[in-house]
Amino acid sequence: MCGITFLHDAALSREALAARCRAAIRGMAHRGPDGIETAGDEQWHLGHARLAIIGISDGNQPMSDPSGRWHLVYNGEIYNYVELRDALAARWQFRTRSDTEVLLAGLALDGAAFLSRLNGMWAFALWDKAERRLLLARDRLGKKPLYFRAERERFACASELPALRALADTAPAVDLDSLADTLRYGCTMPGHTVDAGSSEVLPGHILRWSPGSTARQEAFWSLPLQPAEPLPEAGRRVRELLESAVRYRLVADVEVGAFLSGGIDSSLVSALAARHTDHPLRTFSIGFADASFDESPYAARMAQFLGTVHESAVYAGSERAEMIELLVRHVGMPFGDASLLPTAAVSALAARRVKVALSGDGADELFGGYQRYLGRVLLRWYTRLPQPLQRSAEALLRVLPEPLQHHSRSVLKKAQLFARNAALMRAGGDAAYVAPRFFSEAELAVLAPSLASHGHAAPALPERVHGDDVLAMMCADALVYLPQDILVKTDRASMAHSLEQRCPFLDYRLVELALSGGSAQHFRGLRGKALLRESVGELTPPWLWRRRKQGFAVPLGAWFRGELADDLMNTLQHSGQSWIDPAAVRRLVDEHRAGSVDHGQRLWLLWTYAVWLAAKPAAALPARAVA
């Protein structure tokens, strides 16, 4: 994994282009500490920061073909590069053993059609010097990021938003539609950013641009939902594909480890990886002092069962400066998922020993692991009750103090979350699920009145999901929550510590299989991941499957009863912003400190908004009064 930049600007001298590109790529040195290189000519320049994983001695970038026509920078890994290299060898004289040259050769010979043959994760920029054409592409699920600014005569792209800003002439204004979406969902919609005029290449898309033309994106992959296979055959295929996905993701010229939380997904990945390494697998986990958030005893137990070399550390929290560094320098935008912090901590732990770590990310979205899916099943029955009875039950739950512990350890907290979602469902009527909500439309109108009418459209769902509301949620999560939240978190948190994270569950073959057919194959009663358990359950001990579902969360509730709430109010007050009403934030803080409602996640999102805004240049903040 690496960091990449490209800049085309006819108004800049060759020296100015190179200087700006070098500054931007040096700002991403954390993504590639093994070497920073740039290359270019009149009007264009490429930059690359390398984390050497495959082809360590001969895979340096930018890479050009022998004729000097094609110039490539790429971030990611092509896991099946050996097979592809053999297939291309009759048409290409290879000079290296790297996957980078395989990608370059395939694109030069077959164009964008070559992407359908790739199994991996990638974001790249390919400049055709002869035709003066640029091709960008991003992998099917959006594991690798790629942001861009496109004008008719100028184009810039980079792996991270702060680097893209370094390529620009002026500080960008705020995209109010994306800001509104971030307050709703904790992240932006696919294709959009909080910077006006800056976009992202969509997952599974290519982008074409040439001087004097507009940028055009087109899909090379989408969720191709097919009729379900019979369950015995589907189970056999899940086992076969997951094992293949893990073996592919062990392809490297460096040691590969694994994150092991003690949950189902990371345990399955670690179990398969341990079977296919010729040395004891290194595994890593992070624990918490608060027992309701701590999975480390289960991780240690699973490590002993698998015979891995296991390392663990206790996450005691982050210093304010450290959190701001992660948010401002790496994420570059407000971000609602506070598990970014422990993900960064476990990445730092693993990076001391390995350069690559496997994770279990993606399994919940694909195999029905989130409790919100079961909640939707229950809501079908709950909403058939008389509304006065529903409202009475919800009113009773509202007057009970909400526990600060993780919801996996509290029946009361689960009931309160369920009631809150039921109320949202009633208020939204037939509004389709997009992603987990931080603020409802009614709440957003109070918190940020001038933003209530703003927002981008969510991606369209495949036609076959209609009539299966749980499958619709799973597909929506695969299209929005996964690339905009989970994969942003894993990429920025791991790359902040120069660690490559690989996700076997996000092998596109497994994704296509898991989301084919209806949601019923993933549930047995009120338990999810049924298909996964039936296919690979014997790899792990029975106690693992009896555990409560527990996310990788931090004790935000306790944090925002202390100094972090004061920091939020002070930072917001001095940020110069006028979109969010400070009085509405103060009410949330007061309710949280009084113990009536746990607003920890909401206050975290607002804190990230405040510190992001405080770090933006004043020129980027157009006046916008609170209505």
Side-chain angles (χ1 to χ4, degrees), residues 172-182 188 192-198 451 454-456 579 612 620 622:
V174 176
D175 183 311
L176 298 184
D177 291 313
S178 287
L179 183 58
D181 288 334
T182 300
T188 60
H192 302 283
T193 79
V194 291
D195 290 354
S198 297
L451 297 179
H454 286 273
H456 291 289
W579 296 300
W612 162 78

mmCIF file with all atom_site columns, all heavy atoms in Angstrom, residues 172-182 188 192-198 451 454-456 579 612 620 622:
data_model
loop_
_atom_site.group_PDB
_atom_site.id
_atom_site.type_symbol
_atom_site.label_atom_id
_atom_site.label_alt_id
_atom_site.label_comp_id
_atom_site.label_asym_id
_atom_site.label_entity_id
_atom_site.label_seq_id
_atom_site.pdbx_PDB_ins_code
_atom_site.Cartn_x
_atom_site.Cartn_y
_atom_site.Cartn_z
_atom_site.occupancy
_atom_site.B_iso_or_equiv
_atom_site.pdbx_formal_charge
_atom_site.auth_seq_id
_atom_site.auth_comp_id
_atom_site.auth_asym_id
_atom_site.auth_atom_id
_atom_site.pdbx_PDB_model_num
ATOM 1   N N   . PRO A 1 172 ? -10.293 24.939 -0.332 1.00 0.00 ? 172 PRO A N   1
ATOM 2   C CA  . PRO A 1 172 ? -11.658 24.716 -0.808 1.00 0.00 ? 172 PRO A CA  1
ATOM 3   C C   . PRO A 1 172 ? -12.692 25.173 0.210  1.00 0.00 ? 172 PRO A C   1
ATOM 4   O O   . PRO A 1 172 ? -12.458 25.145 1.424  1.00 0.00 ? 172 PRO A O   1
ATOM 5   C CB  . PRO A 1 172 ? -11.725 23.201 -1.003 1.00 0.00 ? 172 PRO A CB  1
ATOM 6   C CG  . PRO A 1 172 ? -10.709 22.662 -0.040 1.00 0.00 ? 172 PRO A CG  1
ATOM 7   C CD  . PRO A 1 172 ? -9.600  23.677 -0.005 1.00 0.00 ? 172 PRO A CD  1
ATOM 8   N N   . ALA A 1 173 ? -13.837 25.604 -0.290 1.00 0.00 ? 173 ALA A N   1
ATOM 9   C CA  . ALA A 1 173 ? -14.975 25.905 0.573  1.00 0.00 ? 173 ALA A CA  1
ATOM 10  C C   . ALA A 1 173 ? -15.612 24.594 1.039  1.00 0.00 ? 173 ALA A C   1
ATOM 11  O O   . ALA A 1 173 ? -15.222 23.502 0.598  1.00 0.00 ? 173 ALA A O   1
ATOM 12  C CB  . ALA A 1 173 ? -15.990 26.761 -0.182 1.00 0.00 ? 173 ALA A CB  1
ATOM 13  N N   . VAL A 1 174 ? -16.582 24.699 1.926  1.00 0.00 ? 174 VAL A N   1
ATOM 14  C CA  . VAL A 1 174 ? -17.243 23.516 2.471  1.00 0.00 ? 174 VAL A CA  1
ATOM 15  C C   . VAL A 1 174 ? -18.420 23.127 1.582  1.00 0.00 ? 174 VAL A C   1
ATOM 16  O O   . VAL A 1 174 ? -19.221 23.980 1.182  1.00 0.00 ? 174 VAL A O   1
ATOM 17  C CB  . VAL A 1 174 ? -17.739 23.772 3.910  1.00 0.00 ? 174 VAL A CB  1
ATOM 18  C CG1 . VAL A 1 174 ? -18.513 22.567 4.433  1.00 0.00 ? 174 VAL A CG1 1
ATOM 19  C CG2 . VAL A 1 174 ? -16.557 24.076 4.821  1.00 0.00 ? 174 VAL A CG2 1
ATOM 20  N N   . ASP A 1 175 ? -18.514 21.856 1.261  1.00 0.00 ? 175 ASP A N   1
ATOM 21  C CA  . ASP A 1 175 ? -19.671 21.327 0.546  1.00 0.00 ? 175 ASP A CA  1
ATOM 22  C C   . ASP A 1 175 ? -20.780 21.104 1.571  1.00 0.00 ? 175 ASP A C   1
ATOM 23  O O   . ASP A 1 175 ? -20.715 20.181 2.385  1.00 0.00 ? 175 ASP A O   1
ATOM 24  C CB  . ASP A 1 175 ? -19.297 20.017 -0.146 1.00 0.00 ? 175 ASP A CB  1
ATOM 25  C CG  . ASP A 1 175 ? -20.433 19.431 -0.965 1.00 0.00 ? 175 ASP A CG  1
ATOM 26  O OD1 . ASP A 1 175 ? -21.561 19.330 -0.454 1.00 0.00 ? 175 ASP A OD1 1
ATOM 27  O OD2 . ASP A 1 175 ? -20.205 19.075 -2.130 1.00 0.00 ? 175 ASP A OD2 1
ATOM 28  N N   . LEU A 1 176 ? -21.801 21.939 1.536  1.00 0.00 ? 176 LEU A N   1
ATOM 29  C CA  . LEU A 1 176 ? -22.845 21.888 2.562  1.00 0.00 ? 176 LEU A CA  1
ATOM 30  C C   . LEU A 1 176 ? -23.687 20.628 2.460  1.00 0.00 ? 176 LEU A C   1
ATOM 31  O O   . LEU A 1 176 ? -24.197 20.136 3.477  1.00 0.00 ? 176 LEU A O   1
ATOM 32  C CB  . LEU A 1 176 ? -23.721 23.133 2.480  1.00 0.00 ? 176 LEU A CB  1
ATOM 33  C CG  . LEU A 1 176 ? -23.003 24.462 2.727  1.00 0.00 ? 176 LEU A CG  1
ATOM 34  C CD1 . LEU A 1 176 ? -23.995 25.624 2.717  1.00 0.00 ? 176 LEU A CD1 1
ATOM 35  C CD2 . LEU A 1 176 ? -22.239 24.434 4.048  1.00 0.00 ? 176 LEU A CD2 1
ATOM 36  N N   . ASP A 1 177 ? -23.860 20.075 1.260  1.00 0.00 ? 177 ASP A N   1
ATOM 37  C CA  . ASP A 1 177 ? -24.600 18.820 1.126  1.00 0.00 ? 177 ASP A CA  1
ATOM 38  C C   . ASP A 1 177 ? -23.867 17.689 1.839  1.00 0.00 ? 177 ASP A C   1
ATOM 39  O O   . ASP A 1 177 ? -24.477 16.882 2.548  1.00 0.00 ? 177 ASP A O   1
ATOM 40  C CB  . ASP A 1 177 ? -24.788 18.472 -0.355 1.00 0.00 ? 177 ASP A CB  1
ATOM 41  C CG  . ASP A 1 177 ? -25.736 19.431 -1.050 1.00 0.00 ? 177 ASP A CG  1
ATOM 42  O OD1 . ASP A 1 177 ? -26.814 19.718 -0.501 1.00 0.00 ? 177 ASP A OD1 1
ATOM 43  O OD2 . ASP A 1 177 ? -25.392 19.906 -2.149 1.00 0.00 ? 177 ASP A OD2 1
ATOM 44  N N   . SER A 1 178 ? -22.552 17.636 1.659  1.00 0.00 ? 178 SER A N   1
ATOM 45  C CA  . SER A 1 178 ? -21.773 16.586 2.330  1.00 0.00 ? 178 SER A CA  1
ATOM 46  C C   . SER A 1 178 ? -21.698 16.816 3.831  1.00 0.00 ? 178 SER A C   1
ATOM 47  O O   . SER A 1 178 ? -21.683 15.856 4.610  1.00 0.00 ? 178 SER A O   1
ATOM 48  C CB  . SER A 1 178 ? -20.365 16.513 1.737  1.00 0.00 ? 178 SER A CB  1
ATOM 49  O OG  . SER A 1 178 ? -20.396 15.930 0.453  1.00 0.00 ? 178 SER A OG  1
ATOM 50  N N   . LEU A 1 179 ? -21.650 18.070 4.250  1.00 0.00 ? 179 LEU A N   1
ATOM 51  C CA  . LEU A 1 179 ? -21.650 18.347 5.681  1.00 0.00 ? 179 LEU A CA  1
ATOM 52  C C   . LEU A 1 179 ? -22.957 17.881 6.318  1.00 0.00 ? 179 LEU A C   1
ATOM 53  O O   . LEU A 1 179 ? -22.957 17.278 7.401  1.00 0.00 ? 179 LEU A O   1
ATOM 54  C CB  . LEU A 1 179 ? -21.431 19.840 5.925  1.00 0.00 ? 179 LEU A CB  1
ATOM 55  C CG  . LEU A 1 179 ? -21.338 20.275 7.385  1.00 0.00 ? 179 LEU A CG  1
ATOM 56  C CD1 . LEU A 1 179 ? -20.213 19.539 8.110  1.00 0.00 ? 179 LEU A CD1 1
ATOM 57  C CD2 . LEU A 1 179 ? -21.126 21.793 7.475  1.00 0.00 ? 179 LEU A CD2 1
ATOM 58  N N   . ALA A 1 180 ? -24.061 18.128 5.632  1.00 0.00 ? 180 ALA A N   1
ATOM 59  C CA  . ALA A 1 180 ? -25.356 17.664 6.144  1.00 0.00 ? 180 ALA A CA  1
ATOM 60  C C   . ALA A 1 180 ? -25.404 16.143 6.207  1.00 0.00 ? 180 ALA A C   1
ATOM 61  O O   . ALA A 1 180 ? -25.883 15.567 7.200  1.00 0.00 ? 180 ALA A O   1
ATOM 62  C CB  . ALA A 1 180 ? -26.484 18.196 5.268  1.00 0.00 ? 180 ALA A CB  1
ATOM 63  N N   . ASP A 1 181 ? -24.907 15.468 5.166  1.00 0.00 ? 181 ASP A N   1
ATOM 64  C CA  . ASP A 1 181 ? -24.875 14.002 5.180  1.00 0.00 ? 181 ASP A CA  1
ATOM 65  C C   . ASP A 1 181 ? -24.005 13.473 6.315  1.00 0.00 ? 181 ASP A C   1
ATOM 66  O O   . ASP A 1 181 ? -24.337 12.455 6.939  1.00 0.00 ? 181 ASP A O   1
ATOM 67  C CB  . ASP A 1 181 ? -24.338 13.477 3.842  1.00 0.00 ? 181 ASP A CB  1
ATOM 68  C CG  . ASP A 1 181 ? -25.325 13.648 2.698  1.00 0.00 ? 181 ASP A CG  1
ATOM 69  O OD1 . ASP A 1 181 ? -26.537 13.693 2.964  1.00 0.00 ? 181 ASP A OD1 1
ATOM 70  O OD2 . ASP A 1 181 ? -24.878 13.748 1.546  1.00 0.00 ? 181 ASP A OD2 1
ATOM 71  N N   . THR A 1 182 ? -22.899 14.152 6.576  1.00 0.00 ? 182 THR A N   1
ATOM 72  C CA  . THR A 1 182 ? -22.015 13.716 7.662  1.00 0.00 ? 182 THR A CA  1
ATOM 73  C C   . THR A 1 182 ? -22.723 13.801 9.001  1.00 0.00 ? 182 THR A C   1
ATOM 74  O O   . THR A 1 182 ? -22.546 12.930 9.864  1.00 0.00 ? 182 THR A O   1
ATOM 75  C CB  . THR A 1 182 ? -20.731 14.559 7.668  1.00 0.00 ? 182 THR A CB  1
ATOM 76  O OG1 . THR A 1 182 ? -20.054 14.395 6.416  1.00 0.00 ? 182 THR A OG1 1
ATOM 77  C CG2 . THR A 1 182 ? -19.797 14.132 8.780  1.00 0.00 ? 182 THR A CG2 1
ATOM 78  N N   . THR A 1 188 ? -19.663 10.905 4.558  1.00 0.00 ? 188 THR A N   1
ATOM 79  C CA  . THR A 1 188 ? -20.218 11.462 3.337  1.00 0.00 ? 188 THR A CA  1
ATOM 80  C C   . THR A 1 188 ? -20.809 10.355 2.463  1.00 0.00 ? 188 THR A C   1
ATOM 81  O O   . THR A 1 188 ? -20.559 9.173  2.686  1.00 0.00 ? 188 THR A O   1
ATOM 82  C CB  . THR A 1 188 ? -19.134 12.203 2.536  1.00 0.00 ? 188 THR A CB  1
ATOM 83  O OG1 . THR A 1 188 ? -18.095 11.271 2.203  1.00 0.00 ? 188 THR A OG1 1
ATOM 84  C CG2 . THR A 1 188 ? -18.549 13.352 3.333  1.00 0.00 ? 188 THR A CG2 1
ATOM 85  N N   . HIS A 1 192 ? -18.522 11.810 -2.953 1.00 0.00 ? 192 HIS A N   1
ATOM 86  C CA  . HIS A 1 192 ? -18.527 13.194 -2.493 1.00 0.00 ? 192 HIS A CA  1
ATOM 87  C C   . HIS A 1 192 ? -17.573 13.378 -1.315 1.00 0.00 ? 192 HIS A C   1
ATOM 88  O O   . HIS A 1 192 ? -17.222 12.428 -0.617 1.00 0.00 ? 192 HIS A O   1
ATOM 89  C CB  . HIS A 1 192 ? -19.938 13.604 -2.082 1.00 0.00 ? 192 HIS A CB  1
ATOM 90  C CG  . HIS A 1 192 ? -20.948 13.450 -3.183 1.00 0.00 ? 192 HIS A CG  1
ATOM 91  N ND1 . HIS A 1 192 ? -21.050 14.332 -4.226 1.00 0.00 ? 192 HIS A ND1 1
ATOM 92  C CD2 . HIS A 1 192 ? -21.884 12.484 -3.411 1.00 0.00 ? 192 HIS A CD2 1
ATOM 93  C CE1 . HIS A 1 192 ? -22.011 13.939 -5.046 1.00 0.00 ? 192 HIS A CE1 1
ATOM 94  N NE2 . HIS A 1 192 ? -22.528 12.815 -4.580 1.00 0.00 ? 192 HIS A NE2 1
ATOM 95  N N   . THR A 1 193 ? -17.187 14.631 -1.080 1.00 0.00 ? 193 THR A N   1
ATOM 96  C CA  . THR A 1 193 ? -16.350 14.978 0.066  1.00 0.00 ? 193 THR A CA  1
ATOM 97  C C   . THR A 1 193 ? -16.880 16.257 0.692  1.00 0.00 ? 193 THR A C   1
ATOM 98  O O   . THR A 1 193 ? -17.751 16.933 0.128  1.00 0.00 ? 193 THR A O   1
ATOM 99  C CB  . THR A 1 193 ? -14.879 15.208 -0.345 1.00 0.00 ? 193 THR A CB  1
ATOM 100 O OG1 . THR A 1 193 ? -14.746 16.515 -0.930 1.00 0.00 ? 193 THR A OG1 1
ATOM 101 C CG2 . THR A 1 193 ? -14.395 14.169 -1.341 1.00 0.00 ? 193 THR A CG2 1
ATOM 102 N N   . VAL A 1 194 ? -16.330 16.626 1.842  1.00 0.00 ? 194 VAL A N   1
ATOM 103 C CA  . VAL A 1 194 ? -16.739 17.865 2.499  1.00 0.00 ? 194 VAL A CA  1
ATOM 104 C C   . VAL A 1 194 ? -16.118 19.091 1.845  1.00 0.00 ? 194 VAL A C   1
ATOM 105 O O   . VAL A 1 194 ? -16.456 20.214 2.212  1.00 0.00 ? 194 VAL A O   1
ATOM 106 C CB  . VAL A 1 194 ? -16.379 17.840 4.003  1.00 0.00 ? 194 VAL A CB  1
ATOM 107 C CG1 . VAL A 1 194 ? -17.236 16.831 4.744  1.00 0.00 ? 194 VAL A CG1 1
ATOM 108 C CG2 . VAL A 1 194 ? -14.894 17.558 4.193  1.00 0.00 ? 194 VAL A CG2 1
ATOM 109 N N   . ASP A 1 195 ? -15.205 18.893 0.902  1.00 0.00 ? 195 ASP A N   1
ATOM 110 C CA  . ASP A 1 195 ? -14.594 20.005 0.182  1.00 0.00 ? 195 ASP A CA  1
ATOM 111 C C   . ASP A 1 195 ? -15.356 20.262 -1.110 1.00 0.00 ? 195 ASP A C   1
ATOM 112 O O   . ASP A 1 195 ? -15.459 19.373 -1.968 1.00 0.00 ? 195 ASP A O   1
ATOM 113 C CB  . ASP A 1 195 ? -13.134 19.686 -0.166 1.00 0.00 ? 195 ASP A CB  1
ATOM 114 C CG  . ASP A 1 195 ? -12.228 19.672 1.051  1.00 0.00 ? 195 ASP A CG  1
ATOM 115 O OD1 . ASP A 1 195 ? -12.697 20.013 2.153  1.00 0.00 ? 195 ASP A OD1 1
ATOM 116 O OD2 . ASP A 1 195 ? -11.047 19.311 0.895  1.00 0.00 ? 195 ASP A OD2 1
ATOM 117 N N   . ALA A 1 196 ? -15.892 21.460 -1.256 1.00 0.00 ? 196 ALA A N   1
ATOM 118 C CA  . ALA A 1 196 ? -16.595 21.805 -2.489 1.00 0.00 ? 196 ALA A CA  1
ATOM 119 C C   . ALA A 1 196 ? -15.641 21.693 -3.674 1.00 0.00 ? 196 ALA A C   1
ATOM 120 O O   . ALA A 1 196 ? -14.511 22.190 -3.627 1.00 0.00 ? 196 ALA A O   1
ATOM 121 C CB  . ALA A 1 196 ? -17.156 23.220 -2.389 1.00 0.00 ? 196 ALA A CB  1
ATOM 122 N N   . GLY A 1 197 ? -16.080 21.031 -4.719 1.00 0.00 ? 197 GLY A N   1
ATOM 123 C CA  . GLY A 1 197 ? -15.255 20.856 -5.910 1.00 0.00 ? 197 GLY A CA  1
ATOM 124 C C   . GLY A 1 197 ? -14.341 19.651 -5.877 1.00 0.00 ? 197 GLY A C   1
ATOM 125 O O   . GLY A 1 197 ? -13.706 19.333 -6.883 1.00 0.00 ? 197 GLY A O   1
ATOM 126 N N   . SER A 1 198 ? -14.260 18.976 -4.727 1.00 0.00 ? 198 SER A N   1
ATOM 127 C CA  . SER A 1 198 ? -13.442 17.762 -4.608 1.00 0.00 ? 198 SER A CA  1
ATOM 128 C C   . SER A 1 198 ? -14.357 16.548 -4.531 1.00 0.00 ? 198 SER A C   1
ATOM 129 O O   . SER A 1 198 ? -15.349 16.568 -3.793 1.00 0.00 ? 198 SER A O   1
ATOM 130 C CB  . SER A 1 198 ? -12.550 17.812 -3.363 1.00 0.00 ? 198 SER A CB  1
ATOM 131 O OG  . SER A 1 198 ? -11.629 18.878 -3.447 1.00 0.00 ? 198 SER A OG  1
ATOM 132 N N   . LEU A 1 451 ? -28.831 23.516 7.318  1.00 0.00 ? 451 LEU A N   1
ATOM 133 C CA  . LEU A 1 451 ? -28.366 22.337 6.584  1.00 0.00 ? 451 LEU A CA  1
ATOM 134 C C   . LEU A 1 451 ? -29.469 21.309 6.363  1.00 0.00 ? 451 LEU A C   1
ATOM 135 O O   . LEU A 1 451 ? -29.261 20.327 5.649  1.00 0.00 ? 451 LEU A O   1
ATOM 136 C CB  . LEU A 1 451 ? -27.217 21.661 7.335  1.00 0.00 ? 451 LEU A CB  1
ATOM 137 C CG  . LEU A 1 451 ? -25.934 22.474 7.517  1.00 0.00 ? 451 LEU A CG  1
ATOM 138 C CD1 . LEU A 1 451 ? -24.913 21.670 8.312  1.00 0.00 ? 451 LEU A CD1 1
ATOM 139 C CD2 . LEU A 1 451 ? -25.359 22.892 6.175  1.00 0.00 ? 451 LEU A CD2 1
ATOM 140 N N   . HIS A 1 454 ? -30.244 20.197 2.885  1.00 0.00 ? 454 HIS A N   1
ATOM 141 C CA  . HIS A 1 454 ? -29.089 19.798 2.075  1.00 0.00 ? 454 HIS A CA  1
ATOM 142 C C   . HIS A 1 454 ? -28.855 18.291 2.148  1.00 0.00 ? 454 HIS A C   1
ATOM 143 O O   . HIS A 1 454 ? -29.292 17.616 3.078  1.00 0.00 ? 454 HIS A O   1
ATOM 144 C CB  . HIS A 1 454 ? -27.828 20.522 2.555  1.00 0.00 ? 454 HIS A CB  1
ATOM 145 C CG  . HIS A 1 454 ? -27.785 21.967 2.160  1.00 0.00 ? 454 HIS A CG  1
ATOM 146 N ND1 . HIS A 1 454 ? -27.277 22.394 0.961  1.00 0.00 ? 454 HIS A ND1 1
ATOM 147 C CD2 . HIS A 1 454 ? -28.197 23.080 2.809  1.00 0.00 ? 454 HIS A CD2 1
ATOM 148 C CE1 . HIS A 1 454 ? -27.365 23.714 0.884  1.00 0.00 ? 454 HIS A CE1 1
ATOM 149 N NE2 . HIS A 1 454 ? -27.916 24.156 1.998  1.00 0.00 ? 454 HIS A NE2 1
ATOM 150 N N   . GLY A 1 455 ? -28.135 17.772 1.169  1.00 0.00 ? 455 GLY A N   1
ATOM 151 C CA  . GLY A 1 455 ? -27.752 16.365 1.167  1.00 0.00 ? 455 GLY A CA  1
ATOM 152 C C   . GLY A 1 455 ? -27.631 15.826 -0.244 1.00 0.00 ? 455 GLY A C   1
ATOM 153 O O   . GLY A 1 455 ? -28.284 16.312 -1.172 1.00 0.00 ? 455 GLY A O   1
ATOM 154 N N   . HIS A 1 456 ? -26.760 14.844 -0.405 1.00 0.00 ? 456 HIS A N   1
ATOM 155 C CA  . HIS A 1 456 ? -26.588 14.173 -1.694 1.00 0.00 ? 456 HIS A CA  1
ATOM 156 C C   . HIS A 1 456 ? -27.464 12.926 -1.745 1.00 0.00 ? 456 HIS A C   1
ATOM 157 O O   . HIS A 1 456 ? -27.821 12.353 -0.713 1.00 0.00 ? 456 HIS A O   1
ATOM 158 C CB  . HIS A 1 456 ? -25.128 13.770 -1.892 1.00 0.00 ? 456 HIS A CB  1
ATOM 159 C CG  . HIS A 1 456 ? -24.200 14.927 -2.091 1.00 0.00 ? 456 HIS A CG  1
ATOM 160 N ND1 . HIS A 1 456 ? -24.191 15.694 -3.231 1.00 0.00 ? 456 HIS A ND1 1
ATOM 161 C CD2 . HIS A 1 456 ? -23.231 15.456 -1.286 1.00 0.00 ? 456 HIS A CD2 1
ATOM 162 C CE1 . HIS A 1 456 ? -23.273 16.637 -3.141 1.00 0.00 ? 456 HIS A CE1 1
ATOM 163 N NE2 . HIS A 1 456 ? -22.673 16.518 -1.966 1.00 0.00 ? 456 HIS A NE2 1
ATOM 164 N N   . TRP A 1 579 ? -23.033 27.032 11.180 1.00 0.00 ? 579 TRP A N   1
ATOM 165 C CA  . TRP A 1 579 ? -24.014 26.061 10.696 1.00 0.00 ? 579 TRP A CA  1
ATOM 166 C C   . TRP A 1 579 ? -24.692 25.316 11.840 1.00 0.00 ? 579 TRP A C   1
ATOM 167 O O   . TRP A 1 579 ? -25.874 25.011 11.756 1.00 0.00 ? 579 TRP A O   1
ATOM 168 C CB  . TRP A 1 579 ? -23.336 25.058 9.763  1.00 0.00 ? 579 TRP A CB  1
ATOM 169 C CG  . TRP A 1 579 ? -22.790 25.695 8.525  1.00 0.00 ? 579 TRP A CG  1
ATOM 170 C CD1 . TRP A 1 579 ? -23.493 26.379 7.574  1.00 0.00 ? 579 TRP A CD1 1
ATOM 171 C CD2 . TRP A 1 579 ? -21.427 25.732 8.118  1.00 0.00 ? 579 TRP A CD2 1
ATOM 172 N NE1 . TRP A 1 579 ? -22.654 26.830 6.594  1.00 0.00 ? 579 TRP A NE1 1
ATOM 173 C CE2 . TRP A 1 579 ? -21.362 26.447 6.892  1.00 0.00 ? 579 TRP A CE2 1
ATOM 174 C CE3 . TRP A 1 579 ? -20.233 25.235 8.641  1.00 0.00 ? 579 TRP A CE3 1
ATOM 175 C CZ2 . TRP A 1 579 ? -20.185 26.670 6.206  1.00 0.00 ? 579 TRP A CZ2 1
ATOM 176 C CZ3 . TRP A 1 579 ? -19.058 25.456 7.957  1.00 0.00 ? 579 TRP A CZ3 1
ATOM 177 C CH2 . TRP A 1 579 ? -19.041 26.163 6.755  1.00 0.00 ? 579 TRP A CH2 1
ATOM 178 N N   . TRP A 1 612 ? -12.078 19.674 13.161 1.00 0.00 ? 612 TRP A N   1
ATOM 179 C CA  . TRP A 1 612 ? -11.810 19.789 11.717 1.00 0.00 ? 612 TRP A CA  1
ATOM 180 C C   . TRP A 1 612 ? -12.013 21.228 11.254 1.00 0.00 ? 612 TRP A C   1
ATOM 181 O O   . TRP A 1 612 ? -11.192 21.780 10.527 1.00 0.00 ? 612 TRP A O   1
ATOM 182 C CB  . TRP A 1 612 ? -12.737 18.842 10.949 1.00 0.00 ? 612 TRP A CB  1
ATOM 183 C CG  . TRP A 1 612 ? -12.878 19.144 9.492  1.00 0.00 ? 612 TRP A CG  1
ATOM 184 C CD1 . TRP A 1 612 ? -11.988 18.856 8.507  1.00 0.00 ? 612 TRP A CD1 1
ATOM 185 C CD2 . TRP A 1 612 ? -13.972 19.803 8.860  1.00 0.00 ? 612 TRP A CD2 1
ATOM 186 N NE1 . TRP A 1 612 ? -12.463 19.279 7.290  1.00 0.00 ? 612 TRP A NE1 1
ATOM 187 C CE2 . TRP A 1 612 ? -13.683 19.867 7.474  1.00 0.00 ? 612 TRP A CE2 1
ATOM 188 C CE3 . TRP A 1 612 ? -15.182 20.332 9.307  1.00 0.00 ? 612 TRP A CE3 1
ATOM 189 C CZ2 . TRP A 1 612 ? -14.552 20.441 6.552  1.00 0.00 ? 612 TRP A CZ2 1
ATOM 190 C CZ3 . TRP A 1 612 ? -16.052 20.913 8.402  1.00 0.00 ? 612 TRP A CZ3 1
ATOM 191 C CH2 . TRP A 1 612 ? -15.733 20.973 7.047  1.00 0.00 ? 612 TRP A CH2 1
ATOM 192 N N   . ALA A 1 620 ? -11.746 29.220 3.654  1.00 0.00 ? 620 ALA A N   1
ATOM 193 C CA  . ALA A 1 620 ? -12.556 28.085 3.225  1.00 0.00 ? 620 ALA A CA  1
ATOM 194 C C   . ALA A 1 620 ? -13.916 28.056 3.908  1.00 0.00 ? 620 ALA A C   1
ATOM 195 O O   . ALA A 1 620 ? -14.685 27.133 3.713  1.00 0.00 ? 620 ALA A O   1
ATOM 196 C CB  . ALA A 1 620 ? -11.820 26.780 3.518  1.00 0.00 ? 620 ALA A CB  1
ATOM 197 N N   . PRO A 1 622 ? -17.236 29.958 4.087  1.00 0.00 ? 622 PRO A N   1
ATOM 198 C CA  . PRO A 1 622 ? -18.187 30.994 3.706  1.00 0.00 ? 622 PRO A CA  1
ATOM 199 C C   . PRO A 1 622 ? -19.197 31.223 4.811  1.00 0.00 ? 622 PRO A C   1
ATOM 200 O O   . PRO A 1 622 ? -19.568 30.297 5.528  1.00 0.00 ? 622 PRO A O   1
ATOM 201 C CB  . PRO A 1 622 ? -18.855 30.405 2.450  1.00 0.00 ? 622 PRO A CB  1
ATOM 202 C CG  . PRO A 1 622 ? -18.694 28.929 2.590  1.00 0.00 ? 622 PRO A CG  1
ATOM 203 C CD  . PRO A 1 622 ? -17.381 28.735 3.291  1.00 0.00 ? 622 PRO A CD  1
#
